[in-house]
Amino acid sequence: MIYTLTCNPSLDYIMKVHDFSPTAVNRTADANLIAGGKGINVAVMLSHFDVPVTALGFVAGFTGDEIMRQLRQWGCTEDFIRVEDGLSRINVKVKSDAEFEINGAGPRLNATDVDRLFAQLDTLTADDYLVVSGSIPAGLPVTLYSDILSRLTPRGVRCIVDATGSLLNETLPHRPLLVKPNHHELEELLDRPLPDIAHLLDGAKELQQRGARHVLISRAGDGALLLTDDGRAYTASAPHGIVRNSVGAGDSMVAGFLAGLRNDGDIESAFRLAVAAGSASAFDDWLAPKDAVCRLLTQIEISTVAL
Ligand SMILES: Nc1ncnc2c1ncn2[C@@H]1O[C@H](COP(=O)(O)OP(=O)(O)O)[C@@H](O)[C@H]1O
Ligand SMILES: O=P(O)(O)OC[C@H]1O[C@](O)(COP(=O)(O)O)[C@@H](O)[C@@H]1O
């Protein structure tokens, strides 16, 4: 079974605004309030591929109720922990000439909440994958993800990490199966510009030296780079299309990679499916359906990169 963990889920308030001005009263041309957060998006996308998945995490307040309502409506299996205080966050995503986002902080959690989570995670076995992704709410230690991996990887649970900064970095010694920073997140983590493929590849190697197994670097409209745990490197072009909503493109990519790995374990096809899933979601108003992903598969060019 694949499990996803979203410690800080959200209602994504996705607004289309014509000619946005930061100093005027703007009005929406279209708006949707959709349950999100990285792990939830990965779970929804995996279910689009008919891959069995259970979404885990924390929810709070009436926003948490709505997140749960939407997950149930989409037929997603979930086992979220309800916390008593605070509200699950609302993340604002404005789509105008440019896209910009304001992500909230989320409810304050405590050690008891973490104990409840660990009790759930302790039931996972070597047959399972766990995707840990996104930011964590206030009150949780920056070592949360590394604490989870140090508990689960010795038991053979394959962990995938999509997080930023120290939250990601601390997990690396625990040998995550896959990490997926985007280009900018990797630059931030390594504290240097990575202007081209050669520099990105060096960055990916550095994450491997720190312990990561497969390193997948997403590059938005420029496609992606993959460094595999057996030392092969590939780049992929992204298909051309009209971007409607790139929120969730990275999560779709993680889901596509995992769905591909579960198909036949072939890394190159998993990489192709990952890029197709990311791009299909960027070209959709929401997370793309399977047929939209499959239509893009042949448009992606994969090239090997010499190490
Ligand atoms: N403008 C775009 N055109 C085509 N594909 C895109 C575009 N933006 C994102 N994608 C696809 O989604 C993947 C993940 O997007 P990216 O923005 O890099 O991730 P994140 O959402 O984590 O920041 C990319 O590697 C690419 O395949
Ligand atoms: O936990 P974070 O880093 O604040 O990110 C949360 C946001 O990420 C998303 O999951 C989208 O992620 P991506 O665009 O990176 O795939 C949104 O649904 C959510 O609002």
Side-chain angles (χ1 to χ4, degrees), residues 107-140:
R108 174 164 284 274
L109 304 187
N110 58 39
T112 314
D113 301 319
V114 175
D115 288 344
R116 289 168 73 192
L117 174 66
F118 282 169
Q120 276 185 329
L121 295 178
D122 283 345
T123 63
L124 271 58
T125 71
D127 291 330
D128 298 320
Y129 293 83
L130 175 69
V131 181
V132 294
S133 48
S135 65
I136 56 173
L140 297 187

Side-chain angles (χ1 to χ4, degrees), residues 6 8 10-12 34-39 41 89 91-93 101 103-104 133-136 162 164 180 182 185 246-252:
T6 317
N8 208 1
S10 55
L11 286 174
D12 288 346
I34 303 177
K38 296 198 190 314
N41 291 343
R89 60 195 173 146
N91 289 346
V92 175
K93 318 279 175 177
E101 313 189 13
N103 290 354
S133 48
S135 65
I136 56 173
D162 181 4
T164 57
K180 193 223 70 73
N182 70 28
E185 290 162 351
S246 64
V247 174
D251 307 331
S252 301

Side-chain angles (χ1 to χ4, degrees), residues 142-143 145-146 165-174:
V142 73
T143 54
Y145 287 172
S146 60
S166 311
L167 208 47
L168 166 63
N169 198 37
E170 303 255 338
T171 65
L172 298 177
H174 303 292

Side-chain angles (χ1 to χ4, degrees), residues 24 58 71 81 139 148 166 197-198 218 256 271 303:
F58 300 98
L71 280 187
I81 296 166
I148 290 173
S166 311
I197 293 292
S218 63
F271 185 36
S303 314

Side-chain angles (χ1 to χ4, degrees), residues 180-187 194-201 204 215-226 234-239 243 246 249-250 253 271 274-275 278-279 282 301 303 305:
K180 193 223 70 73
N182 70 28
H183 185 159
H184 307 292
E185 290 162 351
L186 187 60
E187 287 183 329
L194 302 167
D196 52 30
I197 293 292
H199 285 86
L200 282 169
L201 186 56
V215 179
L216 175 54
I217 304 170
S218 63
R219 306 175 60 221
D222 293 327
L225 180 143
L226 173 70
Y234 302 95
T235 56
S237 62
V243 176
S246 64
M253 173 168 243
F271 185 36
V275 174
S279 297
E301 275 179 36
S303 314
V305 183

Side-chain angles (χ1 to χ4, degrees), residues 11-307:
L11 286 174
D12 288 346
Y13 191 26
I14 303 173
M15 286 177 257
K16 289 203 175 125
V17 179
H18 298 309
D19 304 321
F20 176 79
S21 158
T23 53
V25 174
N26 298 276
R27 298 195 189 272
T28 54
D30 185 29
N32 283 299
L33 198 54
I34 303 177
K38 296 198 190 314
I40 286 183
N41 291 343
V42 172
V44 170
M45 204 59 195
L46 282 169
S47 55
H48 288 181
F49 282 94
D50 306 314
V51 174
V53 56
T54 299
L56 305 175
F58 300 98
V59 283
F62 74 94
T63 41
D65 292 342
E66 176 59 14
I67 291 168
M68 291 298 90
R69 190 193 68 78
Q70 292 194 15
L71 280 187
R72 280 193 294 272
Q73 185 187 321
W74 299 330
C76 271
T77 306
E78 56 82 15
D79 196 4
F80 269 74
I81 296 166
R82 172 156 287 287
V83 298
E84 290 312 317
D85 293 328
L87 284 181
S88 291
R89 60 195 173 146
I90 296 179
N91 289 346
V92 175
K93 318 279 175 177
V94 177
K95 315 276 144 197
S96 192
D97 299 332
E99 295 184 314
F100 69 85
E101 313 189 13
I102 305 171
N103 290 354
R108 174 164 284 274
L109 304 187
N110 58 39
T112 314
D113 301 319
V114 175
D115 288 344
R116 289 168 73 192
L117 174 66
F118 282 169
Q120 276 185 329
L121 295 178
D122 283 345
T123 63
L124 271 58
T125 71
D127 291 330
D128 298 320
Y129 293 83
L130 175 69
V131 181
V132 294
S133 48
S135 65
I136 56 173
L140 297 187
V142 73
T143 54
L144 179 73
Y145 287 172
S146 60
D147 294 344
I148 290 173
L149 265 72
S150 71
R151 231 173 148 104
L152 297 192
T153 45
R155 298 216 312 268
V157 179
R158 286 150 292 181
C159 296
I160 291 92
V161 181
D162 181 4
T164 57
S166 311
L167 208 47
L168 166 63
N169 198 37
E170 303 255 338
T171 65
L172 298 177
H174 303 292
R175 313 259 317 128
L177 174 68
L178 172 74
V179 294
K180 193 223 70 73
N182 70 28
H183 185 159
H184 307 292
E185 290 162 351
L186 187 60
E187 287 183 329
E188 230 170 79
L189 181 67
L190 299 179
D191 196 23
R192 59 172 192 263
L194 302 167
D196 52 30
I197 293 292
H199 285 86
L200 282 169
L201 186 56
D202 282 346
K205 284 180 189 164
E206 201 166 322
L207 295 200
Q208 274 194 345
Q209 280 150 11
R210 295 182 193 185
R213 292 171 60 191
H214 304 301
V215 179
L216 175 54
I217 304 170
S218 63
R219 306 175 60 221
D222 293 327
L225 180 143
L226 173 70
L227 179 62
T228 68
D229 66 348
D230 58 0
R232 286 172 287 154
Y234 302 95
T235 56
S237 62
H240 295 293
I242 295 169
V243 176
R244 292 158 72 119
N245 174 21
S246 64
V247 174
D251 307 331
S252 301
M253 173 168 243
V254 171
F257 193 83
L258 264 177
L261 273 190
R262 278 185 85 263
N263 276 349
D264 58 4
D266 178 60
I267 289 286
E268 216 177 303
S269 0
F271 185 36
R272 183 182 294 280
L273 194 57
V275 174
S279 297
S281 286
F283 301 157
D284 208 291
D285 283 327
W286 188 52
L287 303 169
K290 186 178 178 182
D291 59 339
V293 177
C294 293
R295 276 198 298 273
L296 294 183
L297 286 171
T298 54
Q299 295 179 36
I300 294 159
E301 275 179 36
I302 309 262
S303 314
T304 43
V305 183
L307 290 178

